[in-house]
Amino acid sequence: MALYSEKVMDHFRNPRNVGKIDDADGVGEVGNARCGDIMKVYIKVENGIIVDVKFNTFGCGSAIASSSMATEMIKGKPIEQALELTNKAVAEALDGLPAHKLHCSVLAEQSIRAAIKDYYDRNGIQYDPAMFPAYDHDDDPHAHE
Ligand code: FES
């Protein structure tokens, strides 16, 4: 059986939403201390809707595929919905990731959440800090495996 699904390979070879938004309303960057991979997400928000999203990933193929899929899943969606996106949903949308690669999809979930937190902070929007736990762990406390 192939290690990676067709969808993973497709999003790895042709990643969607790669790049940077110069006048982004929120920017989130997270890294995984263990593998050293880094992901940065930019969001543009209008009336509570994520109207545009871009990412840059300095990381493995699974991280690139995960960020491509995750950005597709939140584009055009309300912020509240983007906050509900889990790494599990991203991995499922990719038709699965090998167990030892699930942490790569966690980076996608966390970088999107970090971008939303940045948007809230910039605009003085109140939120429960518990929604945004620290992201600098070297393991995967948020992985829903
Ligand atoms: Fe680090 Fe995939 S191995 S994000």
Side-chain angles (χ1 to χ4, degrees):
M1 201 183 91
L3 188 56
Y4 294 107
S5 71
E6 280 296 317
K7 274 194 191 163
V8 172
M9 293 311 292
D10 175 34
H11 279 264
F12 166 60
R13 291 199 183 104
N14 307 295
R16 281 58 146 186
N17 309 311
V18 173
K20 179 181 178 200
I21 300 175
D22 285 328
D23 59 343
D25 297 310
V27 181
E29 182 175 306
V30 295
N32 182 300
R34 208 173 278 173
C35 65
D37 291 347
I38 297 166
M39 198 178 287
K40 196 163 183 176
V41 166
Y42 304 80
I43 55 171
K44 194 85 196 137
V45 180
E46 274 170 33
N47 300 320
I49 307 285
I50 298 177
V51 291
D52 200 10
V53 52
K54 293 262 191 283
F55 79 90
N56 270 309
T57 293
F58 182 81
C60 71
S62 297
I64 292 167
S66 294
S67 30
S68 170
M69 179 57 88
T71 52
E72 284 287 273
M73 290 170 86
I74 64 160
K75 203 174 187 177
K77 300 279 165 45
I79 283 184
E80 292 71 29
Q81 214 169 311
L83 279 171
E84 285 168 9
L85 183 74
T86 61
N87 79 292
K88 187 166 182 274
V90 174
E92 276 169 9
L94 287 167
D95 291 339
L97 283 169
H100 68 287
K101 285 287 174 181
L102 275 174
H103 77 270
C104 317
S105 61
V106 174
L107 273 190
E109 175 191 321
Q110 291 182 342
S111 53
I112 287 170
R113 295 180 75 82
I116 293 171
K117 180 179 182 298
D118 184 45
Y119 166 74
Y120 283 167
D121 287 340
R122 290 189 198 194
N123 291 279
I125 298 169
Q126 299 291 318
Y127 56 83
D128 178 358
M131 287 164 62
F132 301 104
Y135 295 121
D136 54 352
H137 304 286
D138 67 350
D139 55 7
D140 307 315
H142 310 295
H144 310 284
E145 290 177 27

